[in-house]
């Protein structure tokens, strides 16, 4: 399994200029009115939106919003959490102790207690014991990331840009749609089977991580510096630089980007045909030959980046 870095989830907050947004206009191919896409960085704060005149103009022209997931919808969050739990549960009633064996399990217990403050020997932690190795790998990583971020108080300050867009849309009475649809039963079963078949690889990834714990902590600090670079590209409006920077991650995590882009395309097209729509999702989904911009152009739409008051086809 490939290492998930902090860049996939965490980016610095910075001030921006009025023209520093990743905003695209979509027209042509039978559309009666324009739709727009804003590529966000998920921890940029929502108060930045009012400093982008072109975004405000685009927002006024649209009538509904589509995001990756409506993070304000409690029912959606609950349903996705339940699906996630199903995906990471070990098959056939096994426990993580059955999978790891005594010696490796001892190391996992120590790291979970030290980092996550969870005692896997406590009966109240029984639910964790039925989780796949990858769950523990991600959980410890997330806690380590949160600890590292204590030295960066500017990060994740205030409401995220994505969340602010959702609240603004609902205040206007708009429908808020989800690009990431919930998995149906067949897709869920297939994904669960795929994860179950990768247990050996999951164990290898988890143990390599636990055996190199101190090195991983140092890597987190280096990744925070890389995150600063990515945010600098966004806030300066350097789309080409951002695209070059993000491409290695796009290649490394196809299920996070490429696969989702393909699933989103028909949803995006149907929404635009219905009414002028604002789409807000991670900027990494815009870029490259497998990005949403390219896919829409291949489908016959005109997609132009909005820079100030002009539109540029790149």
């Amino acid at each position: 399994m490939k290492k998930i870095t902090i860049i996939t989830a965490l980016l610095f907050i910075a001030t921006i200029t009025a023209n520093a947004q990743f905003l695209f206009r979509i027209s042509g191919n039978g559309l009666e009115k324009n739709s727009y896409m804003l590529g966000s960085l998920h921890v940029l704060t929502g108060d930045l939106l009012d400093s982008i005149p072109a975004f405000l103009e685009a927002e006024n022209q649209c009538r509904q919003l589509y995001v990756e997931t409506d993070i304000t919808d409690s029912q959606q969050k609950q349903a996705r959490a339940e699906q996630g739990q199903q995906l990471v549960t070990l098959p056939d009633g096994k426990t993580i102790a059955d999978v790891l064996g005594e010696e490796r399990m001892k190391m996992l217990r120590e790291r979970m207690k030290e980092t996550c403050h969870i005692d896997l020997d406590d009966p109240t932690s029984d639910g964790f014991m039925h989780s796949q190795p990858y769950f523990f790998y991600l959980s410890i990583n997330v806690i380590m990331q949160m600890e590292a971020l204590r030295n960066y108080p500017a990060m994740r300050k205030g409401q995220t840009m994505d969340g602010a867009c959702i609240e603004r849309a609902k205040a206007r009475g708009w429908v808020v749609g989800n690009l990431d649809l919930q998995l149906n039963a067949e897709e869920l079963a297939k994904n669960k089977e795929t994860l179950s078949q990768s247990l050996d690889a999951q164990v290898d990834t988890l143990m390599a991580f636990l055996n190199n714990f101190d090195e991983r902590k140092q890597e987190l600090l280096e990744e925070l510096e890389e995150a600063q670079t990515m945010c600098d590209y966004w806030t300066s409006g350097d789309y080409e630089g951002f695209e070059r920077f993000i491409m290695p991650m796009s290649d490394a995590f196809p299920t996070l980007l490429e696969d989702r882009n393909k699933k989103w395309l028909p949803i995006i097209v149907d929404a635009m045909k219905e009414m002028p729509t604002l789409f807000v999702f991670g900027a990494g989904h815009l870029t490259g030959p497998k990005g949403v911009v390219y896919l829409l152009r291949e489908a016959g739409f005109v997609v132009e980046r909005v820079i100030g008051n002009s539109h540029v086809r790149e």
Side-chain angles (χ1 to χ4, degrees):
M1 284 191 170
K2 300 179 179 71
K3 180 182 73 175
I4 289 187
T5 71
I6 199 171
I7 294 176
T8 61
L10 300 170
L11 294 164
F12 272 90
I13 296 172
T15 58
I16 67 170
T17 65
N19 294 329
Q21 70 284 352
F22 286 11
L23 181 68
F24 286 80
R25 183 182 70 174
I26 311 167
S27 61
N29 201 18
L31 294 181
E32 295 183 3
K33 295 184 178 181
N34 301 331
S35 287
Y36 290 85
M37 298 186 296
L38 176 68
S40 70
L41 299 184
H42 291 314
V43 296
L44 287 174
T45 54
D47 56 8
L48 300 177
L49 296 171
D50 287 324
S51 67
I52 309 173
F55 171 80
L56 299 179
E57 181 182 346
E59 187 180 39
N60 285 330
Q61 292 182 30
C62 294
R63 295 294 177 267
Q64 64 179 351
L65 173 73
Y66 268 73
V67 291
E68 295 180 36
T69 301
D70 182 354
I71 56 177
T72 67
D73 188 321
S74 58
Q75 290 184 339
Q76 286 278 345
K77 288 196 292 187
Q78 177 65 26
R80 292 179 189 280
E82 291 174 357
Q83 286 195 340
Q85 184 61 44
Q86 291 182 53
L87 283 173
V88 300
T89 300
L90 285 163
D92 306 323
K94 290 182 178 180
T95 68
I96 189 64
D98 298 328
V99 174
L100 294 183
E102 184 176 349
E103 184 176 346
R104 293 184 295 193
M105 189 63 199
K106 180 181 178 181
M107 183 179 294
L108 177 62
R109 285 192 177 96
E110 291 174 355
R111 294 303 187 195
M112 286 292 290
K113 185 179 290 187
E114 170 191 346
T115 307
C116 303
H117 308 293
I118 294 174
D119 184 356
L120 293 178
D121 291 322
D122 191 314
T124 60
S125 301
D126 182 66
F128 292 105
M129 293 296 292
H130 294 276
S131 299
Q132 298 193 33
Y134 198 45
F135 166 83
F136 295 98
Y137 170 75
L138 288 178
S139 297
I140 296 174
N141 257 290
V142 167
I143 296 300
M144 288 173 59
Q145 290 168 3
M146 294 300 103
E147 289 293 324
L149 285 172
R150 290 185 177 183
N151 296 321
Y152 300 88
M155 270 192 158
R156 299 190 70 93
K157 184 179 179 181
Q159 187 185 43
T160 67
M161 183 175 292
D162 303 68
C165 285
I166 293 170
E167 284 200 358
R168 293 164 72 106
K170 290 185 175 180
R172 290 170 175 245
W174 289 5
V175 170
V176 176
N178 294 279
L179 295 169
D180 282 329
L181 300 177
Q182 292 183 34
L183 299 175
N184 60 39
E186 182 179 347
E187 291 171 326
L188 188 62
K190 183 178 179 180
N191 287 356
K192 186 173 182 179
E193 181 182 3
T194 299
L195 275 176
S196 298
Q197 290 172 348
S198 69
L199 276 179
D200 289 342
Q202 290 187 50
V203 170
D204 291 344
T205 297
L206 175 62
M207 298 315 301
F209 169 61
L210 296 179
N211 283 317
N212 297 279
F213 204 62
D214 292 335
E215 290 86 343
R216 176 58 184 149
K217 286 184 178 180
Q218 182 58 39
E219 288 176 0
L220 277 174
L221 299 178
E222 296 171 1
E223 289 163 10
L224 286 170
E225 293 300 318
E226 293 179 342
Q228 175 69 73
T229 300
M230 187 184 290
C231 199
D232 287 345
Y233 283 129
W234 200 97
T235 55
S236 66
D238 185 355
Y239 183 78
E240 294 81 6
F242 178 87
E243 185 170 26
R244 289 192 299 271
F245 190 86
I246 200 74
M247 284 309 295
M249 191 177 77
S250 301
D251 294 337
F253 302 104
T255 56
L256 287 178
L257 297 171
E258 176 187 351
D259 293 355
R260 291 167 72 201
N261 294 346
K262 291 178 180 177
K263 291 181 179 179
W264 291 357
L265 185 62
I267 301 172
I268 291 172
V269 171
D270 287 346
M272 292 190 299
K273 289 180 178 178
E274 182 181 2
M275 67 181 71
T277 304
L278 174 63
F279 303 94
V280 179
F281 49 76
H285 289 279
L286 293 170
T287 64
K290 299 171 184 176
V292 175
V293 170
Y294 177 84
L295 294 177
L296 284 170
R297 288 173 177 166
E298 283 290 289
F301 296 94
V302 177
V303 184
E304 303 162 298
R305 187 179 174 206
V306 181
I307 301 177
N309 294 319
S310 63
H311 303 89
V312 179
R313 182 178 176 120
E314 300 172 333

